[in-house]
Amino acid sequence: MTKREARARAKALRAALNMQTTGRDMAKALFALPCWQKADTVLAFASLPDEPNTWPILQRALADGKRLLLPRVSGAGRMEWVEIPDLALLRQGAYGIPEPPGDLLAVCPPEGDRTLLLIPCLAVRSDGVRLGRGGGYYDRFLAHAKGKRLLLCPAALVLPDLPADGWDIRFSPDEILTEKGLLQ
Ligand SMILES: Nc1nc2c(c(=O)[nH]1)N(C=O)[C@@H](CNc1ccc(C(=O)N[C@@H](CCC(=O)O)C(=O)O)cc1)CN2
Ligand SMILES: Nc1ncnc2c1ncn2[C@@H]1O[C@H](COP(=O)(O)OP(=O)(O)OP(=O)(O)O)[C@@H](O)[C@H]1O
């Protein structure tokens, strides 16, 4: 199976899911984790319609007084991070994703065990290899990023058979969060 075929298969499976419910349950599972509770900075993403709805997570991060950083596409395969104090500031950006506006400066995400990285995917292989949308954005970013990482993936998209390349980032079972909780 090529990555192109795998993405098409993942998208077909996702179309059958309710991303509102999945996102709500995932948020509930996330809020119970020690890594969420101790995080003072959260690098998250504003969900697309075919991703678990992350708005409950974004809102809760701000309500809890955490620093919320969201990505802004800055070039081919590259993104930068911008601190967002209010979700009403977001504007439609690349790929139709709500993004920080251009007048907010990019920041260097703090490194440390109180920084939590929430990462999107299309699917994940059972052994932890991530399948993304194909821009290489997170592969590049995660190659040097530091902090506690959590891959947000609906349970129905943890698949036994997916293609992988050498640069793809791997996640351990305790770094994969589904709506049912951590894989392990
Ligand atoms: N919510 C969210 N934000 C994110 C990502 C993501 O996966 N999800 N990204 C993670 O990288 C970055 C943006 N990368 C993206 C890459 C491709 C597409 C996309 O819609 N691709 C089309 C196919 C385009 C094509 O084939 O040319 C698609 O999936 O239908 C979206 C975001 C940064 N922000
Ligand atoms: N660490 C890296 N450094 C430089 N280029 C990279 C790196 N990782 C991936 N790439 C390039 O990015 C392109 C897309 O990779 P891939 O198809 O694995 O994206 P993806 O992980 O599914 O997407 P995304 O991370 O945006 O969700 C590939 O052509 C690859 O050469």
Side-chain angles (χ1 to χ4, degrees), residues 139-170:
D139 292 322
R140 285 192 189 82
F141 168 63
L142 291 172
H144 61 84
K146 299 206 177 67
K148 167 75 182 166
R149 319 179 306 179
L150 279 183
L151 186 70
L152 270 46
C153 187
L157 274 300
V158 181
L159 302 172
D161 184 28
L162 286 177
D165 290 305
W167 59 76
D168 287 328
I169 303 290
R170 271 171 195 264

Short mmCIF file of all heavy atoms in Angstrom, two decimals, residues 139-170:
data_model
loop_
_atom_site.label_atom_id
_atom_site.label_comp_id
_atom_site.label_asym_id
_atom_site.label_seq_id
_atom_site.Cartn_x
_atom_site.Cartn_y
_atom_site.Cartn_z
N ASP A 139 6.67 15.90 10.78
CA ASP A 139 7.93 15.14 10.74
C ASP A 139 9.10 16.08 10.98
O ASP A 139 10.00 15.81 11.76
CB ASP A 139 8.10 14.44 9.39
CG ASP A 139 7.09 13.32 9.18
OD1 ASP A 139 6.80 12.62 10.15
OD2 ASP A 139 6.60 13.16 8.05
N ARG A 140 9.08 17.21 10.26
CA ARG A 140 10.18 18.18 10.40
C ARG A 140 10.20 18.79 11.79
O ARG A 140 11.24 18.89 12.42
CB ARG A 140 10.03 19.31 9.38
CG ARG A 140 10.41 18.90 7.98
CD ARG A 140 10.52 20.12 7.07
NE ARG A 140 10.69 19.67 5.70
CZ ARG A 140 9.69 19.29 4.92
NH1 ARG A 140 8.46 19.34 5.35
NH2 ARG A 140 9.92 18.88 3.68
N PHE A 141 9.03 19.18 12.26
CA PHE A 141 8.96 19.84 13.57
C PHE A 141 9.37 18.89 14.69
O PHE A 141 10.19 19.23 15.56
CB PHE A 141 7.54 20.37 13.79
CG PHE A 141 7.29 20.80 15.20
CD1 PHE A 141 8.02 21.86 15.75
CD2 PHE A 141 6.35 20.15 15.98
CE1 PHE A 141 7.80 22.25 17.07
CE2 PHE A 141 6.14 20.54 17.29
CZ PHE A 141 6.86 21.58 17.83
N LEU A 142 8.85 17.66 14.66
CA LEU A 142 9.10 16.73 15.76
C LEU A 142 10.52 16.17 15.75
O LEU A 142 10.99 15.63 16.75
CB LEU A 142 8.09 15.58 15.72
CG LEU A 142 6.66 15.99 16.05
CD1 LEU A 142 5.70 14.83 15.80
CD2 LEU A 142 6.55 16.44 17.51
N ALA A 143 11.22 16.33 14.60
CA ALA A 143 12.60 15.85 14.53
C ALA A 143 13.47 16.57 15.57
O ALA A 143 14.45 16.02 16.03
CB ALA A 143 13.16 16.04 13.13
N HIS A 144 13.09 17.81 15.94
CA HIS A 144 13.91 18.54 16.92
C HIS A 144 13.12 19.06 18.13
O HIS A 144 13.69 19.63 19.05
CB HIS A 144 14.64 19.71 16.22
CG HIS A 144 13.70 20.71 15.62
ND1 HIS A 144 13.14 21.71 16.34
CD2 HIS A 144 13.18 20.81 14.37
CE1 HIS A 144 12.33 22.40 15.56
NE2 HIS A 144 12.33 21.87 14.36
N ALA A 145 11.78 18.89 18.12
CA ALA A 145 10.97 19.45 19.21
C ALA A 145 11.21 18.68 20.51
O ALA A 145 11.48 17.48 20.50
CB ALA A 145 9.50 19.38 18.83
N LYS A 146 11.09 19.40 21.62
CA LYS A 146 11.22 18.74 22.92
C LYS A 146 9.94 18.96 23.72
O LYS A 146 9.22 19.92 23.49
CB LYS A 146 12.40 19.32 23.68
CG LYS A 146 13.72 19.11 22.97
CD LYS A 146 14.87 19.11 23.96
CE LYS A 146 16.18 18.81 23.27
NZ LYS A 146 16.58 19.91 22.37
N GLY A 147 9.67 18.04 24.64
CA GLY A 147 8.46 18.16 25.45
C GLY A 147 7.73 16.83 25.42
O GLY A 147 8.08 15.91 24.68
N LYS A 148 6.68 16.76 26.22
CA LYS A 148 5.86 15.55 26.26
C LYS A 148 4.94 15.55 25.04
O LYS A 148 4.25 16.54 24.78
CB LYS A 148 5.07 15.55 27.58
CG LYS A 148 3.97 14.54 27.65
CD LYS A 148 4.48 13.14 27.87
CE LYS A 148 3.32 12.15 27.89
NZ LYS A 148 3.75 10.76 27.77
N ARG A 149 4.92 14.45 24.27
CA ARG A 149 4.14 14.39 23.04
C ARG A 149 2.93 13.48 23.20
O ARG A 149 3.03 12.42 23.81
CB ARG A 149 4.97 13.82 21.89
CG ARG A 149 6.40 14.31 21.85
CD ARG A 149 7.15 13.70 20.71
NE ARG A 149 7.11 12.24 20.68
CZ ARG A 149 7.69 11.49 19.75
NH1 ARG A 149 8.33 12.07 18.77
NH2 ARG A 149 7.63 10.18 19.81
N LEU A 150 1.81 13.91 22.63
CA LEU A 150 0.63 13.03 22.57
C LEU A 150 0.05 13.11 21.16
O LEU A 150 -0.25 14.19 20.66
CB LEU A 150 -0.44 13.48 23.56
CG LEU A 150 -0.31 13.09 25.03
CD1 LEU A 150 -1.55 13.60 25.77
CD2 LEU A 150 -0.16 11.59 25.23
N LEU A 151 -0.10 11.95 20.54
CA LEU A 151 -0.72 11.88 19.22
C LEU A 151 -2.22 11.67 19.43
O LEU A 151 -2.62 10.74 20.12
CB LEU A 151 -0.12 10.71 18.45
CG LEU A 151 -0.56 10.58 16.99
CD1 LEU A 151 0.04 11.72 16.16
CD2 LEU A 151 -0.11 9.24 16.41
N LEU A 152 -3.04 12.56 18.84
CA LEU A 152 -4.49 12.44 18.99
C LEU A 152 -5.05 11.63 17.83
O LEU A 152 -5.06 12.11 16.69
CB LEU A 152 -5.11 13.84 19.03
CG LEU A 152 -5.27 14.49 20.42
CD1 LEU A 152 -4.01 14.36 21.25
CD2 LEU A 152 -5.69 15.94 20.30
N CYS A 153 -5.52 10.43 18.10
CA CYS A 153 -5.98 9.55 17.03
C CYS A 153 -7.24 8.79 17.45
O CYS A 153 -7.22 8.12 18.50
CB CYS A 153 -4.87 8.56 16.66
SG CYS A 153 -5.27 7.57 15.21
N PRO A 154 -8.32 8.87 16.67
CA PRO A 154 -9.50 8.06 17.00
C PRO A 154 -9.12 6.58 17.06
O PRO A 154 -8.29 6.12 16.27
CB PRO A 154 -10.45 8.33 15.83
CG PRO A 154 -10.00 9.61 15.23
CD PRO A 154 -8.51 9.66 15.45
N ALA A 155 -9.73 5.83 17.96
CA ALA A 155 -9.39 4.41 18.14
C ALA A 155 -9.56 3.63 16.84
O ALA A 155 -8.79 2.71 16.56
CB ALA A 155 -10.26 3.82 19.25
N ALA A 156 -10.55 4.01 16.01
CA ALA A 156 -10.80 3.29 14.76
C ALA A 156 -9.71 3.52 13.72
O ALA A 156 -9.69 2.87 12.68
CB ALA A 156 -12.16 3.72 14.19
N LEU A 157 -8.80 4.47 14.00
CA LEU A 157 -7.72 4.77 13.05
C LEU A 157 -6.36 4.28 13.55
O LEU A 157 -5.33 4.70 13.04
CB LEU A 157 -7.68 6.26 12.77
CG LEU A 157 -8.61 6.79 11.65
CD1 LEU A 157 -8.29 6.15 10.31
CD2 LEU A 157 -10.06 6.60 12.01
N VAL A 158 -6.37 3.39 14.52
CA VAL A 158 -5.14 2.68 14.90
C VAL A 158 -5.17 1.40 14.08
O VAL A 158 -6.00 0.52 14.32
CB VAL A 158 -5.11 2.37 16.41
CG1 VAL A 158 -3.81 1.66 16.78
CG2 VAL A 158 -5.28 3.66 17.23
N LEU A 159 -4.33 1.33 13.05
CA LEU A 159 -4.45 0.28 12.03
C LEU A 159 -3.20 -0.61 12.00
O LEU A 159 -2.08 -0.13 12.17
CB LEU A 159 -4.66 0.94 10.66
CG LEU A 159 -5.90 1.85 10.56
CD1 LEU A 159 -5.91 2.60 9.23
CD2 LEU A 159 -7.18 1.05 10.74
N PRO A 160 -3.40 -1.90 11.72
CA PRO A 160 -2.26 -2.83 11.73
C PRO A 160 -1.34 -2.67 10.53
O PRO A 160 -0.16 -2.96 10.61
CB PRO A 160 -2.94 -4.21 11.71
CG PRO A 160 -4.30 -3.98 11.15
CD PRO A 160 -4.69 -2.57 11.53
N ASP A 161 -1.89 -2.16 9.41
CA ASP A 161 -1.14 -2.21 8.17
C ASP A 161 -1.08 -0.83 7.52
O ASP A 161 -2.03 -0.41 6.88
CB ASP A 161 -1.84 -3.23 7.25
CG ASP A 161 -1.08 -3.42 5.95
OD1 ASP A 161 0.15 -3.24 5.97
OD2 ASP A 161 -1.73 -3.75 4.94
N LEU A 162 0.03 -0.11 7.69
CA LEU A 162 0.21 1.20 7.08
C LEU A 162 1.64 1.31 6.58
O LEU A 162 2.55 0.77 7.20
CB LEU A 162 -0.03 2.32 8.11
CG LEU A 162 -1.46 2.64 8.56
CD1 LEU A 162 -1.43 3.72 9.64
CD2 LEU A 162 -2.32 3.10 7.40
N PRO A 163 1.87 2.04 5.47
CA PRO A 163 3.24 2.21 4.98
C PRO A 163 4.01 3.20 5.86
O PRO A 163 3.40 4.04 6.52
CB PRO A 163 3.02 2.80 3.59
CG PRO A 163 1.70 3.49 3.66
CD PRO A 163 0.87 2.71 4.63
N ALA A 164 5.32 3.09 5.89
CA ALA A 164 6.13 4.01 6.69
C ALA A 164 7.41 4.35 5.93
O ALA A 164 7.92 3.54 5.16
CB ALA A 164 6.48 3.37 8.02
N ASP A 165 7.91 5.58 6.12
CA ASP A 165 9.21 5.99 5.58
C ASP A 165 10.15 6.20 6.76
O ASP A 165 9.72 6.35 7.91
CB ASP A 165 9.06 7.32 4.81
CG ASP A 165 8.28 7.13 3.51
OD1 ASP A 165 8.69 6.28 2.69
OD2 ASP A 165 7.27 7.83 3.32
N GLY A 166 11.43 6.26 6.43
CA GLY A 166 12.45 6.40 7.48
C GLY A 166 12.27 7.64 8.34
O GLY A 166 12.60 7.62 9.53
N TRP A 167 11.74 8.74 7.76
CA TRP A 167 11.63 9.98 8.52
C TRP A 167 10.37 10.04 9.38
O TRP A 167 10.20 10.97 10.16
CB TRP A 167 11.66 11.18 7.57
CG TRP A 167 10.55 11.16 6.55
CD1 TRP A 167 9.23 11.46 6.76
CD2 TRP A 167 10.66 10.81 5.16
NE1 TRP A 167 8.51 11.31 5.60
CE2 TRP A 167 9.36 10.92 4.59
CE3 TRP A 167 11.71 10.43 4.35
CZ2 TRP A 167 9.11 10.64 3.26
CZ3 TRP A 167 11.45 10.17 3.01
CH2 TRP A 167 10.17 10.27 2.47
N ASP A 168 9.44 9.10 9.19
CA ASP A 168 8.19 9.17 9.95
C ASP A 168 8.46 9.02 11.44
O ASP A 168 9.27 8.20 11.86
CB ASP A 168 7.23 8.06 9.50
CG ASP A 168 6.63 8.34 8.13
OD1 ASP A 168 6.44 9.53 7.82
OD2 ASP A 168 6.37 7.39 7.38
N ILE A 169 7.75 9.83 12.20
CA ILE A 169 7.95 9.82 13.65
C ILE A 169 7.14 8.66 14.25
O ILE A 169 6.02 8.39 13.83
CB ILE A 169 7.47 11.17 14.25
CG1 ILE A 169 8.20 12.34 13.59
CG2 ILE A 169 7.63 11.19 15.75
CD1 ILE A 169 9.65 12.46 13.95
N ARG A 170 7.76 8.00 15.23
CA ARG A 170 7.09 6.91 15.93
C ARG A 170 6.64 7.34 17.31
O ARG A 170 7.32 8.11 17.97
CB ARG A 170 8.06 5.75 16.14
CG ARG A 170 8.08 4.78 15.01
CD ARG A 170 9.23 3.82 15.22
NE ARG A 170 9.46 3.11 13.98
CZ ARG A 170 8.97 1.90 13.71
NH1 ARG A 170 8.25 1.26 14.61
NH2 ARG A 170 9.19 1.34 12.56
#
